[in-house]
Amino acid sequence: MEVVIASGPEHAGSIGADLVDAQLARNPASNIGLATGSSPLPLYRELIERCSAGRLSFEQARAFLLDEYVGLPDDHPESYRRFIERELTSQIDLPSSALAGPDGSMAGLPTAGARYEQLIEQAGGIDLQILGIGSNGHIGFNEPTSSLMSRTRSKMLTETTRRDNARFFGGDLELVPHHTVTQGIGTILDARHVVLIATGSSKARPVHLMVEGPLTAMVPASALQLHPHATIILDEESAADLVTAAYHREAYSQRPTGR
Ligand code: F6R
């Protein structure tokens, strides 16, 4: 894992934006995987700014959501499609038809996972996947004990995750859906480059377990230890429990350029 310790969330966002920028420079028709939640918001703001300034274009790109709540009406402001449209894709030049996400409708649930896997495969796979990490170590909505080889499917959220996400539903836990359709850990590991952003002290423990703990289904993010190209962007607070922080700082400052 390449671990980068930024000075704060905005700096973390700008490092993440540099990676998206580099990916689109290599291939303007890249497939970019998008996470929701608060961690990638500084990155999304930076992408919007670069697009507005004409320094970056998503015109030929495609975007794939990491996950979606089950059972929220299409126009619900907290559905992940609406979230990402509001926070990113409506403010960049990505064609609206180029945004795809898992089908979170009750009717579509039995086949939603297989259909989404097929869509990603037919598009040629995800080139760069943006991720956050849950306070319990989840990635996507692969909660602890998820199979490390899992593919896109429906998952029930833990009480911890529903409590963490209640802030998006006016603090009302009752309004937070119980189920999601999420890319599996195996699906995420298939992305060619994974970029995970974690900021703030509530992420210090899961970050330590992800980077330095054993590979275990109890910390789904630890599966990224298996990924050949995973970049973990932290701030000082989320890096606070890393025993190897000094090593990562030095390795990043002396990294060979061109990757
Ligand atoms: C979001 C997602 C989740 C979040 C994670 C962190 O699409 O799949 O794994 O990335 O719950 O959420 P925040 O960034 O809000 O702390």
Side-chain angles (χ1 to χ4, degrees):
M1 282 176 169
E2 180 183 42
V3 177
V4 186
I5 304 173
S7 56
E10 299 305 317
H11 185 209
S14 120
I15 293 169
D18 287 346
L19 297 175
V20 175
D21 207 328
Q23 175 61 45
L24 289 171
R26 275 193 300 276
N27 176 12
S30 291
N31 294 327
I32 309 290
L34 300 173
T36 59
S38 44
S39 309
L41 291 180
L43 158 60
Y44 294 159
R45 283 195 291 272
E46 181 69 25
L47 294 177
I48 292 165
E49 217 171 290
R50 292 186 194 191
C51 263
S52 311
R55 290 161 51 204
L56 188 63
S57 174
F58 287 83
E59 218 173 346
Q60 297 177 53
R62 291 182 70 178
F64 292 85
L65 289 174
L66 180 60
D67 37 28
E68 182 55 276
Y69 285 121
V70 170
L72 285 187
D74 277 354
D75 57 353
H76 192 288
E78 293 311 326
S79 79
Y80 281 169
R81 180 178 278 272
R82 289 285 167 270
F83 180 100
I84 215 75
E85 284 172 351
R86 185 172 64 242
E87 301 294 343
L88 178 66
T89 58
S90 67
Q91 302 185 63
I92 57 178
D93 59 352
L94 181 89
S96 55
S97 60
L99 172 64
D103 177 5
S105 71
M106 291 301 284
L109 208 51
T111 57
R115 280 184 287 128
Y116 201 50
E117 287 284 330
Q118 198 178 24
L119 194 71
I120 292 173
E121 193 187 325
Q122 281 169 355
I126 306 284
D127 295 298
L128 185 151
Q129 176 66 54
I130 296 162
L131 294 175
I133 182 172
S135 61
N136 62 3
H138 71 215
I139 45 173
F141 281 121
N142 298 284
E143 299 285 35
T145 72
S146 290
S147 158
L148 301 184
M149 294 178 74
S150 49
R151 309 303 303 187
T152 306
R153 74 237 180 272
S154 172
K155 279 297 282 185
M156 194 180 88
L157 294 176
T158 58
E159 171 100 5
T160 309
T161 298
R162 291 183 61 246
R163 284 193 185 285
D164 285 349
N165 286 4
R167 68 191 194 281
F168 295 114
F169 292 83
D172 189 345
L173 183 62
E174 291 306 306
L175 297 179
V176 185
H178 286 264
H179 292 87
T180 63
V181 179
T182 179
Q183 286 189 30
I185 298 175
T187 318
I188 292 169
L189 291 178
D190 281 349
R192 294 178 190 94
H193 185 187
V194 169
V195 176
L196 184 145
I197 299 192
T199 52
S201 55
S202 66
K203 300 297 169 68
R205 184 171 161 72
V207 161
H208 157 65
L209 295 172
M210 163 178 66
V211 176
E212 299 175 332
L215 174 66
T216 167
M218 283 305 287
V219 182
S222 67
L224 298 180
Q225 294 172 15
L226 296 172
H227 197 283
H229 193 187
T231 305
I232 312 297
I233 308 175
L234 308 173
D235 65 357
E236 296 289 346
E237 291 182 356
S238 62
D241 287 359
L242 282 182
V243 179
T244 52
Y247 167 80
H248 293 298
R249 276 185 224 281
E250 193 179 346
Y252 186 65
S253 72
Q254 294 187 17
R255 71 193 182 286
T257 50
R259 191 177 181 193

